[in-house]
């Protein structure tokens, strides 16, 4: 069983009228789908005169296209045209991406997607009409809709066991092992709730860290996002005022990502007696489904 659900900008999965489902059931029967596997890869390389072969600097995973053939079924010819018009409206191209969900018997994943054009209707037989649909996905990786979380803190109290998250606690509360079951590195959303003196989150697996030269008072929080295109460092003061905190960053800080497999993370500060709470949130990413 394969199924696609497209939620256009402003739509919602909880409001069926605002999205479209392509499956084995009428009215929009999914005939075929391609472009769900691994994305195309460009090898970044250079050559040196007189030297054999090439030097590889890295690889770039390209954006992807998901193409599908859909058969629109109506109760009669008028109903078929009505459903065809609804499909064209929901798949109208937009400058803002919607969300394309892919479901099969094993998994559910999603990806940001933009219809490249209104559906191309290529033929009609009685009360059926065929449509070819193409989605452009600027970011090549599929995302798990389930948010995963982990915690680190210097605390005497505050969290209740057991947790239901995919994490392993080390002997000290300021360390944790987080397993990324995805096939590619994933960005993090990090929240540090004060008090905290010069807080830092370190990925011991890669040696990278994010450190601020600033103090959080009781009731203040720090939010860090390491996602490409959305990187941010924001301190929310006790009165609710948000402050851009980029200028507090240690210049050697790296907006690191969780590598596939187990990652050993730890929290550090200049005052380890403070009862600081650190929350880590992420969505696993997959090269293909």
């Amino acid at each position: 069983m394969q199924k696609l659900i497209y939620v256009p900008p402003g739509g919602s999965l909880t409001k069926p009228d605002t999205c479209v489902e392509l499956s084995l059931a009428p009215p929009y029967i999914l005939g075929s789908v391609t472009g769900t596997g691994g994305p195309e890869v460009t090898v970044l390389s250079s050559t040196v005169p007189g030297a054999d072969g090439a030097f590889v600097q890295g690889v770039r995973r390209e954006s992807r296209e998901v193409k599908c053939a859909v058969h629109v079924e109506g109760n009669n010819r008028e109903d078929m045209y009505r459903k065809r018009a609804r499909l064209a409206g929901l798949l109208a191209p937009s400058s803002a991406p919607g969300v394309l969900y892919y479901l099969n018997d094993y998994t559910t994943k999603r990806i940001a997607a933009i219809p490249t054009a209104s559906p191309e209707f290529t033929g009609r037989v009685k009360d059926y009409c065929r449509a070819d649909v193409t989605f452009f996905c600027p970011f090549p990786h599929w995302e798990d809709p389930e948010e995963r979380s982990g915690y680190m803190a210097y605390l005497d109290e505050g969290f209740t066991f057991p947790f239901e998250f995919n994490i392993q606690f080390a002997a000290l509360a300021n360390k944790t092992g987080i397993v990324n079951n995805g096939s590619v590195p994933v960005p993090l959303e990090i929240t540090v709730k004060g008090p905290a003196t010069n807080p830092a989150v370190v990925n011991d697996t890669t040696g990278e860290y994010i450190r601020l030269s600033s103090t959080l008072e009781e009731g203040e929080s720090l939010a860090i996002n390491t996602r490409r295109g959305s990187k941010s460092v924001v301190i929310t003061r006790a009165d609710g005022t948000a402050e851009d905190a980029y200028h507090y960053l240690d210049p050697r800080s790296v907006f690191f990502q969780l590598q596939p497999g187990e990652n050993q993370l730890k929290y550090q500060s200049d005052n380890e007696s403070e009862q600081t709470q650190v929350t880590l949130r992420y969505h696993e990413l997959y090269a293909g489904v």
Side-chain angles (χ1 to χ4, degrees):
M1 183 275 293
Q2 292 188 105
K3 181 190 298 186
L4 294 175
I5 301 176
Y6 177 68
V7 183
S12 172
L13 281 177
T14 61
K15 300 178 180 178
D17 290 343
T18 66
C19 55
V20 60
E21 178 179 312
L22 313 176
S23 66
L24 297 181
Y28 306 116
I29 303 171
L30 182 62
S32 63
V33 57
T34 61
T36 59
E40 293 186 6
V41 173
T42 298
V43 178
L44 307 176
S45 63
S46 61
T47 59
V48 177
D52 295 336
F55 296 92
V56 177
Q57 283 78 45
V59 297
R60 182 181 66 240
R61 296 172 177 85
E62 305 294 347
S63 55
R64 71 168 70 231
E65 283 190 341
V66 176
K67 298 182 179 181
C68 54
V70 181
H71 300 276
V72 182
E73 178 184 350
N75 297 324
N76 50 52
R77 187 175 302 181
E78 179 184 357
D79 185 51
M80 182 272 294
Y81 279 119
R82 180 180 62 82
K83 290 172 179 175
R84 192 176 90 164
R86 176 180 181 271
L87 181 67
L90 289 172
L91 297 183
S94 170
S95 57
V99 180
L100 180 66
Y101 288 83
Y102 171 83
L103 302 86
N104 62 25
D105 296 305
Y106 171 69
T107 190
T108 298
K109 298 293 182 286
R110 66 187 181 187
I111 195 169
I114 301 173
T116 59
S118 294
E120 183 179 354
F121 298 101
T122 57
R124 180 184 65 80
V125 177
K126 295 184 177 179
D127 299 330
Y128 287 83
C129 183
R130 175 189 166 96
D132 294 318
V133 180
T134 300
F135 297 97
F136 171 73
C137 307
F139 185 64
H141 303 311
W142 294 90
E143 180 181 79
D144 193 322
E146 180 183 355
E147 182 182 81
R148 301 180 183 273
S149 304
Y151 294 97
M152 297 184 295
Y154 293 96
L155 287 175
D156 295 323
E157 57 184 2
F159 290 123
T160 302
F161 288 87
F163 289 109
E164 296 181 354
F165 301 111
N166 186 22
I167 61 176
Q168 299 171 343
F169 282 90
L172 296 177
N174 68 317
K175 294 183 179 180
T176 185
I178 297 183
V179 178
N180 172 16
N181 292 309
S183 56
V184 295
V186 299
L188 277 170
E189 293 183 10
I190 304 170
T191 303
V192 180
K193 292 185 178 180
T197 303
N198 300 330
V201 177
V202 182
N203 188 340
D204 278 340
T205 300
T206 63
E208 300 167 324
Y209 64 82
I210 301 173
R211 177 177 289 112
L212 262 70
S213 298
S214 180
T215 298
L216 297 177
E217 303 296 339
E218 182 77 32
E220 297 182 337
S221 64
L222 166 68
I224 301 170
N225 190 338
T226 71
R227 182 180 293 273
R228 185 193 72 177
S230 303
K231 294 177 180 177
S232 62
V233 185
V234 177
I235 292 177
T236 301
R237 300 300 182 184
D239 62 0
T241 304
E243 174 187 351
D244 189 331
Y246 257 97
H247 56 288
Y248 294 126
L249 275 178
D250 181 306
R252 292 169 293 183
S253 293
V254 176
F255 286 88
F256 64 80
Q257 301 191 340
L258 295 178
Q259 300 302 307
E262 185 171 359
N263 294 254
Q264 294 296 327
L265 276 70
K266 66 183 178 184
Y267 169 75
Q268 296 177 335
S269 79
D270 290 349
N271 185 352
E272 296 186 359
S273 66
E274 295 171 319
Q275 294 189 355
T276 307
Q277 299 180 13
V278 182
T279 305
L280 311 169
R281 293 186 172 88
Y282 63 100
H283 290 266
E284 292 174 346
L285 296 176
Y286 294 82
V289 292

